[in-house]
Amino acid sequence: MKVTTLPPLTDQRTEVLGACPHDCPDTCSLRTTVQNGVAIQVHGNPAHPATDGVLCTKVSRYTERTYHPQRLLTPLRRCGPKGSGQFEAVSWDSALRDIAARLTAIAARDAQAILPYSYAGTMGLVQSESMAARFFHRLGASLLERTICASAGASALEYTLGSKRGMQVEFFAEARLILIWGSNSITSNLHFWRRVQQAKRQGAKVICIDPRRSETADKCQQHIALRPGTDAALALALMQQLIQHNWLDHDYIAQHTLGWDALRARALEWPPERAAAVCGISVAEIENLARDYGQAGAHAAIRLNYGMQRVHGGGNAVRAIACLPALTGAWRQRSGGLLLSSSGAFAVRRQALQRPDLLGTRQPRTINMSTIGDDLLRPASADFGPAIEALLVYNSNPVAIAPDSARVVQGFAREDLFTVVLEHFQTDSADYADYVLPATTQLEHWDIHSSYGHTDVLLNRPAIAPLGQAKPNTQIFRELAQHMGFTEACFADDDLQLARSAFGPEVDFEHLLEHGFVHLPVPDAPFAQGQFATPSGRCEFFSAALAASGQDGLPDYLPNHESGSSDPRYPLAMISPPARNFLNSSFVNVDSLRAIEGQPLIEMHADDAAARQIQAGDTVRVFNQRGSYRCVVDLNQRARPGVINGLGVWWRKLGLDGSNVNQLTSQRLTDMGRGPTFYDCAVQVERA
Ligand SMILES: Nc1nc2c(c(=O)[nH]1)N[C@H]1C(S)=C(S)[C@@H](COP(=O)(O)OP(=O)(O)OC[C@H]3O[C@@H](n4cnc5c(=O)[nH]c(N)nc54)[C@H](O)[C@@H]3O)O[C@H]1N2
Ligand SMILES: Nc1nc2c(c(=O)[nH]1)N[C@H]1C(S)=C(S)[C@@H](COP(=O)(O)OP(=O)(O)OC[C@H]3O[C@@H](n4cnc5c(=O)[nH]c(N)nc54)[C@H](O)[C@@H]3O)O[C@H]1N2
Ligand code: SF4
Ligand SMILES: [Mo]
């Protein structure tokens, strides 16, 4: 199994070990069956404990995506107006030569006018930011702030716990109380949900805290349907109750936390009555939740997910919730504590992969990917620097997934913008490209993966040869570097060398080649003895670093930018969480999966529908000051009054009127981490 070539072209079936590339906390280990050079089926690897032989529906149909009749197989050059989707096939050589000439001309004036745009289409360390980052660093292009998903919560976790670490996912099975907070685990974190089921079988109580009655909420003993963006108020009221009833671990607080007196005073301002009014839930729900949490002590486990931090106060909300386990001493046992992300456990050698040293003394500006709509339309200025003249998009579909689509589309439609898109498919973003370059999928290239839901490193081997003329992202940037005349030796590193350089000796690469995964040595209960990676070494209820940056040093409740009722024109709050059979905008073009999702829809409460003479199945117009979006209404009882759920993220061109839910979302940012506020959005709905 150690051989590093593709399986033989014979009738004999071979199993190839890989890793799921998608932006999902589960990072499954894959086993692909190959025969005669064709991938027949992708399975979950039974030898990998976190995967346990099981994949989600999306990826168990991976061959349908890989061999999709609409896979991009040759380089394409635009031959119609921008956005028309008219292209002609060209050779790699002519595409790369022309792209290099265009970039060289722009860089001669100011390389910062060139911007990479990428996210987590693949989470692989090799096919995301390795060769690509080297290329842009050497060029001196603008840097991209990759905020589109998790930056508010990540930054909050770092201020509070010092790093993105938490409980190990398998120990949720031992918890007696599990709070699933802002997470639709059955949809987005299936392998965690399997641990929850184990815990339930052993008598654990499971409570879901989510404005939407999700598939996960259906299966919990209790569901607390608070208003979007009010989680910090709920957490502060829980603290107030923990104090009132003395469900506190005074010893843990004294030894391992910072700022208790100040936090205590803040929490006492939040009696349950106040929080109940803010959250739109009952006082009893808060009191009972506090009792359950306080009495479960070190067997209370919280699974937070990024869904609850896509609002103005998302960072503060994560900070408030992340304080709870330190108050009750839940960190003392491995069955207690909290998990938002485990990615801090991986010592990825980013300098080696990305080579920021290639910048030399240059310090390019940084562009926030969440405000790409505005930034593409910004003229040159002393403040901003040069207007963006060239955009290279890979591992992302910004025209569909970035907020405030009208602005994003307007930017992409600029005739004077030179756009290159590396893709598997002709996405909404690829429609606006000058060049579309065909990229390989996970079955066709090498990669190495960390995870944000468990603590194993996974290796991905290619199972089949690249389809058509597709090339790995790395190879495209390698060849582009050559055409640009970049001669540094680092542009010659191959993908296996890149994979080997991603980690230090703590990851045994020979073991990875053999088995496909390696467990990192991590403690069972990471903060049992404190040892937080904060400046004080304690769980920082009060953060001096936050205070020094001009923010409140203590967590607080910050109301949404748009709360759905503050502007009478737009009385409904809208959230747009993931659809189960899509992954962001990936898989929307896979027919069998799109068939399960049906049509773009919003879920609405029966009272809100009745007030607008809307019936189930009606086509409606959802609108606000930024735009309007047509979709179908579902009265499936998953929406709370005053809140609509617009499940994401459809390809615009596969929707009813060539748009999607991001036509309505705003470019305003979160309190921490400069993240997007997708779920902080006020709208009105009327029959179309
Ligand atoms: N099938 C599938 N899996 C996915 C994804 C997908 O698109 N589809 N997306 C992947 C990605 S990119 C990520 S980042 C991860 C994590 O993805 P998340 O986006 O966190 O995904 P979910 O856990 O599905 O959804 C979050 C839940 O938060 C709820 N929510 C929304 N607003 C609030 C709020 O203000 N407070 C609270 N308490 N809850 C709120 C939503 O109703 C939803 O049920 O999942 C990944 N997994
Ligand atoms: N309204 C609303 N908007 C959202 C969200 C939401 O919940 N609601 N979720 C947000 C979140 S959490 C995230 S993470 C972002 C995600 O946004 P993106 O990271 O843009 O994710 P995807 O939409 O899945 O698009 C990834 C693209 O990368 C391509 N790709 C995959 N692998 C490769 C590869 O190896 N090479 C190349 N060249 N391309 C590849 C896929 O074909 C796909 O088109 O969306 C955000 N947008
Ligand atoms: S998307 Fe998530 S659950 Fe599905 S196979 Fe990939 S890692 Fe596993
Ligand atoms: Mo995400």
Side-chain angles (χ1 to χ4, degrees):
M1 196 53 194
K2 263 196 195 175
V3 282
T4 53
T5 51
L6 288 172
L9 291 173
T10 66
D11 268 351
Q12 213 189 336
R13 293 191 169 199
T14 314
E15 302 286 326
V16 181
L17 290 176
C20 175
H22 287 293
D23 187 350
C24 167
D26 297 21
T27 321
C28 289
S29 173
L30 307 182
R31 236 176 55 183
T32 302
T33 310
V34 183
Q35 189 178 28
N36 284 319
V38 176
I40 310 229
Q41 179 71 46
V42 178
H43 307 268
N45 181 1
H48 181 233
T51 306
D52 197 20
V54 176
L55 300 179
C56 63
T57 317
K58 308 176 286 295
V59 174
S60 50
R61 302 193 180 168
Y62 220 64
T63 52
E64 196 179 335
R65 186 178 188 276
T66 305
Y67 295 110
H68 195 294
Q70 281 148 14
R71 262 294 291 280
L72 295 167
L73 300 175
T74 62
L76 300 173
R77 180 172 57 204
R78 174 165 71 91
C79 59
K82 271 257 166 161
S84 66
Q86 287 166 273
F87 292 90
E88 61 192 4
V90 291
S91 71
W92 270 109
D93 190 57
S94 97
L96 293 177
R97 228 175 333 117
D98 193 25
I99 295 168
R102 297 288 297 262
L103 298 182
T104 304
I106 296 170
R109 297 191 299 277
D110 188 343
Q112 296 180 99
I114 301 169
L115 178 70
Y117 196 98
S118 68
Y119 200 64
T122 170
M123 299 279 293
L125 298 168
V126 174
Q127 302 304 337
S128 57
E129 308 314 322
S130 70
M131 205 48 87
R134 292 177 181 189
F135 177 84
F136 292 110
H137 284 142
R138 170 67 179 74
L139 186 59
S142 285
L143 303 172
L144 184 73
E145 212 177 344
R146 292 185 170 79
T147 54
I148 200 78
C149 168
S151 61
S155 144
L157 215 56
E158 279 158 6
Y159 281 120
T160 316
L161 307 180
S163 63
K164 285 184 271 177
R165 283 193 305 152
M167 279 182 69
Q168 289 198 51
V169 65
E170 63 255 47
F171 300 137
F172 277 85
E174 299 170 8
R176 291 196 202 130
L177 174 73
I178 300 177
L179 307 187
I180 301 184
W181 201 324
S183 168
N184 182 2
S185 314
I186 294 179
T187 279
S188 64
N189 194 188
L190 183 66
H191 295 77
F192 158 75
W193 177 252
R194 290 162 60 81
R195 303 297 183 183
V196 174
Q197 285 175 306
Q198 272 175 280
K200 263 171 89 182
R201 281 195 292 273
Q202 289 164 38
K205 181 168 185 185
V206 187
I207 303 175
C208 184
I209 304 172
D210 193 315
R212 176 175 186 247
R213 185 162 186 99
S214 65
E215 300 82 336
T216 307
D218 283 342
K219 301 236 157 60
C220 294
Q221 286 100 329
Q222 198 187 336
H223 172 214
I224 300 178
L226 78 186
R227 291 197 182 101
T230 61
D231 301 271
L234 175 58
L236 286 161
L238 292 180
M239 292 180 201
Q240 191 268 6
Q241 288 287 291
L242 296 177
I243 295 165
Q244 294 288 310
H245 295 276
N246 196 23
W247 290 314
L248 297 169
D249 184 332
H250 293 281
D251 184 53
Y252 194 92
I253 292 172
Q255 285 195 51
H256 302 308
T257 71
L258 184 75
W260 167 230
D261 289 341
L263 181 68
R264 188 173 182 281
R266 170 71 49 91
L268 291 175
E269 295 167 14
W270 282 92
E273 292 73 17
R274 181 178 174 198
V278 169
C279 300
I281 57 179
S282 72
V283 169
E285 282 176 296
I286 297 176
E287 289 171 347
N288 293 338
L289 179 62
R291 177 175 315 106
D292 284 337
Y293 189 74
Q295 294 184 346
H299 300 286
I302 301 176
R303 181 59 165 114
L304 262 188
N305 211 342
Y306 288 112
M308 45 73 64
Q309 46 97 67
R310 297 187 185 118
V311 292
H312 173 211
N316 269 277
V318 168
R319 263 177 60 62
I321 296 165
C323 292
L324 293 171
L327 291 175
T328 59
W331 290 119
R332 287 187 190 276
Q333 301 286 336
R334 67 185 195 179
S335 58
L338 168 147
L339 176 64
L340 172 58
S341 169
S342 58
S343 62
F346 299 85
V348 178
R349 296 187 156 181
R350 294 195 200 279
Q351 313 278 321
L353 285 171
Q354 306 180 356
R355 299 293 305 271
D357 56 292
L358 293 167
L359 279 169
T361 56
R362 297 171 296 176
Q363 289 185 313
R365 65 162 170 206
T366 299
I367 301 282
N368 186 346
M369 71 187 300
S370 299
T371 52
I372 189 66
D374 281 348
D375 289 340
L376 282 178
L377 297 173
R378 238 183 261 284
S381 71
D383 242 16
F384 182 62
I388 298 170
E389 293 180 56
L391 192 61
L392 284 87
V393 179
Y394 52 102
N395 303 340
S396 184
N397 183 11
V399 172
I401 63 84
D404 199 355
S405 309
R407 302 280 291 170
V408 180
V409 168
Q410 204 186 335
F412 270 79
R414 269 175 47 198
E415 280 294 339
D416 61 338
L417 179 72
F418 179 64
T419 303
V420 179
V421 175
L422 285 61
E423 252 301 345
H424 300 150
F425 295 107
Q426 190 67 34
T427 57
D428 289 326
S429 305
D431 280 348
Y432 287 91
D434 293 280
Y435 279 99
V436 182
L437 303 177
T440 46
T441 70
Q442 190 78 341
L443 299 189
E444 300 150 64
H445 55 224
W446 284 98
D447 221 322
I448 188 164
H449 290 252
S450 61
S451 170
Y452 61 102
H454 60 63
T455 51
D456 304 333
V457 175
L458 270 68
L459 186 73
N460 184 72
R461 291 164 165 277
I464 56 171
L467 297 195
Q469 297 179 37
K471 294 179 197 259
N473 291 344
T474 45
Q475 184 60 18
I476 298 174
F477 283 106
R478 232 177 248 125
E479 294 182 16
L480 203 50
Q482 221 169 26
H483 279 84
M484 303 280 294
F486 299 166
T487 52
E488 286 79 2
C490 70
F491 290 109
D493 289 351
D494 68 25
D495 286 3
L496 204 50
Q497 279 170 300
L498 289 169
R500 276 184 193 276
S501 67
F503 291 97
E506 77 280 9
V507 173
D508 179 349
F509 202 80
E510 301 311 309
H511 185 94
L512 271 182
L513 281 169
E514 192 94 39
H515 301 282
F517 64 92
V518 166
H519 296 298
L520 291 182
V522 286
D524 280 1
F527 307 123
Q529 316 295 331
Q531 299 180 313
F532 294 91
T534 51
S536 63
R538 290 161 173 254
C539 174
E540 295 202 348
F541 300 152
F542 176 83
S543 163
L546 258 182
S549 74
Q551 297 216 50
D552 194 339
L554 289 174
D556 202 357
Y557 161 65
L558 303 185
N560 276 3
H561 292 305
E562 300 180 3
S563 63
S565 73
S566 49
D567 181 339
R569 291 173 303 163
Y570 310 119
L572 297 169
M574 184 188 78
I575 58 173
S576 47
R580 185 166 179 182
N581 294 287
F582 301 151
L583 205 137
N584 301 317
S585 79
S586 296
F587 297 100
V588 179
N589 63 326
V590 174
D591 294 342
S592 70
L593 295 170
R594 195 172 66 256
I596 307 176
E597 292 299 331
Q599 307 190 63
L601 56 82
I602 53 162
E603 298 167 342
M604 196 175 202
H605 191 270
D607 295 349
D608 292 323
R612 293 167 177 77
Q613 281 90 48
I614 292 171
Q615 287 170 358
D618 281 354
T619 300
V620 292
R621 199 170 78 87
V622 189
F623 61 96
N624 61 17
Q625 68 274 34
R626 289 175 291 272
S628 145
Y629 166 52
R630 252 167 21 108
C631 59
V632 171
V633 166
D634 198 337
L635 302 180
N636 57 9
Q637 308 196 330
R638 298 201 179 281
R640 59 159 284 152
V643 181
I644 64 168
N645 313 320
L647 298 191
V649 180
W650 282 72
W651 282 20
R652 290 166 62 84
K653 58 184 165 187
L654 295 176
L656 297 186
D657 59 354
S659 72
N660 72 15
V661 74
N662 279 322
Q663 198 76 23
L664 306 167
T665 54
S666 91
Q667 294 182 68
R668 295 188 71 173
L669 300 177
T670 50
D671 53 349
M672 290 172 209
R674 295 165 48 76
T677 53
F678 290 112
Y679 302 171
D680 181 339
C681 179
V683 299
Q684 178 59 293
V685 178
E686 66 181 20
R687 281 174 64 180

